[in-house]
Amino acid sequence: MTTQGERTPIPGEGQNGQNGQAGQAEQAGQAGQRTGGGAGATGGTERRRGRRLSGRRAVGWVVMVGVVAAGGWIITQPTPGDYIPGLGPSKKDASKTPPVVGAPPPPTDPAALNADNLFPAQRPVEAAGYKARRGGIRQGEKCDEVLQDGTQELLKDSGCQAYLIVSFTGVDRPVLSSVTLLRFADQTSAAKATDALRAKPGAVAFILADASTAPAQSGGAKPGGERVEAVGRYVTVTSSRAGDGRPAGTPASGGATAPSSPAPSTSGGGEPNLDEATRALSYAAGQPFVWM
């Protein structure tokens, strides 16, 4: 029973209607959560707006993309001798660059005997199962400088234009090798020089890993496995010695012959290890000139 002007209380409504108002607010909040509205929805909208790309973030992305692109360009630009293409040799390897004696060939000469192009310092030469690393270098245009005896005139008026001598050291075998490359004006001149050098075994000097000249073969004996080959207008002269640099066939210090790793026997009386190294490096030296 109510008096005039009073209303019937709503269930759940407390004194002065406060509890009812609280219940309505709670219901509104729950509805807002279900529909994504309310204060929570407003905060989510603000967070989503905060993820928009700002000017600073745009600059950061541009810089990152530029760095990645530059790195990709470097890696795709390999240089001779790299262990990993584009990254170059390590500092440790760069410090071991072999010595070079003589004037380098003109960079504009397409037929120049350039050791870095033919035998990169940090890349081993591998042929016929034999592997060796480049050592010292001698180069120049006065071809008489390659002769062990400067008084000989084997290459006088021969048409020789330039020379390159490269020392090699076996990677897994105690063998030293010396490869001499001579460039001539034409194939006829190269063939004549080949015959002259074959008639004088040991006439071409043997250089060691430090680019110094090794002692000559005593008694005029043929160096271990020496090979003289004409390839187009180029001539290659290759010979090998034991790891201590002594001439082939001579005893090691102490009077005993230095032991060598097993290898197939060879004809011609040469030392098997030396003949194997000489054949492999002679082949590797002549390959670049086959089509020249």
Side-chain angles (χ1 to χ4, degrees), residues 98-106 113 136-142 145 163-165 207 210-211:
V100 179
V101 178
L113 295 174
I137 297 171
R138 285 183 173 270
Q139 57 192 11
E141 297 180 353
K142 297 180 180 180
E145 295 175 352
Y163 74 89
L164 171 67
I165 311 177
I207 70 168
D210 61 357

Side-chain angles (χ1 to χ4, degrees), residues 41-211:
T42 303
T45 303
E46 291 177 353
R47 285 194 295 272
R48 285 195 297 272
R49 290 176 180 174
R51 292 173 184 159
R52 293 180 179 176
L53 186 62
S54 63
R56 181 177 297 180
R57 290 186 179 180
V59 172
W61 278 108
V62 171
V63 172
M64 184 178 297
V65 172
V67 170
V68 172
W73 182 87
I74 292 174
I75 292 178
T76 56
Q77 302 298 316
T79 54
D82 291 356
Y83 280 128
I84 301 177
L87 299 186
S90 65
K91 292 182 179 179
K92 180 179 179 181
D93 295 321
S95 64
K96 295 182 179 180
T97 301
V100 179
V101 178
T108 56
D109 186 355
L113 295 174
N114 190 311
D116 290 329
N117 292 339
L118 298 173
F119 313 107
Q122 308 305 336
R123 185 180 304 164
V125 173
E126 187 170 5
Y130 181 77
K131 185 183 296 185
R133 290 194 179 277
R134 192 187 92 184
I137 297 171
R138 285 183 173 270
Q139 57 192 11
E141 297 180 353
K142 297 180 180 180
C143 295
D144 290 338
E145 295 175 352
V146 308
L147 301 177
Q148 184 74 39
D149 184 358
T151 62
Q152 294 183 352
E153 298 182 347
L154 292 176
L155 298 176
K156 184 178 180 181
D157 301 327
S158 64
C160 185
Q161 299 173 332
Y163 74 89
L164 171 67
I165 311 177
V166 184
S167 173
F168 288 94
T169 302
V171 172
D172 53 1
R173 304 186 186 184
V175 177
L176 296 179
S177 301
S178 180
V179 179
T180 299
L181 299 102
L182 303 170
R183 188 184 74 185
F184 291 84
D186 50 53
Q187 294 187 18
T188 301
S189 299
K192 291 180 178 180
T194 300
D195 293 337
L197 293 174
R198 284 176 177 172
K200 295 285 186 179
V204 175
F206 188 104
I207 70 168
L208 304 175
D210 61 357

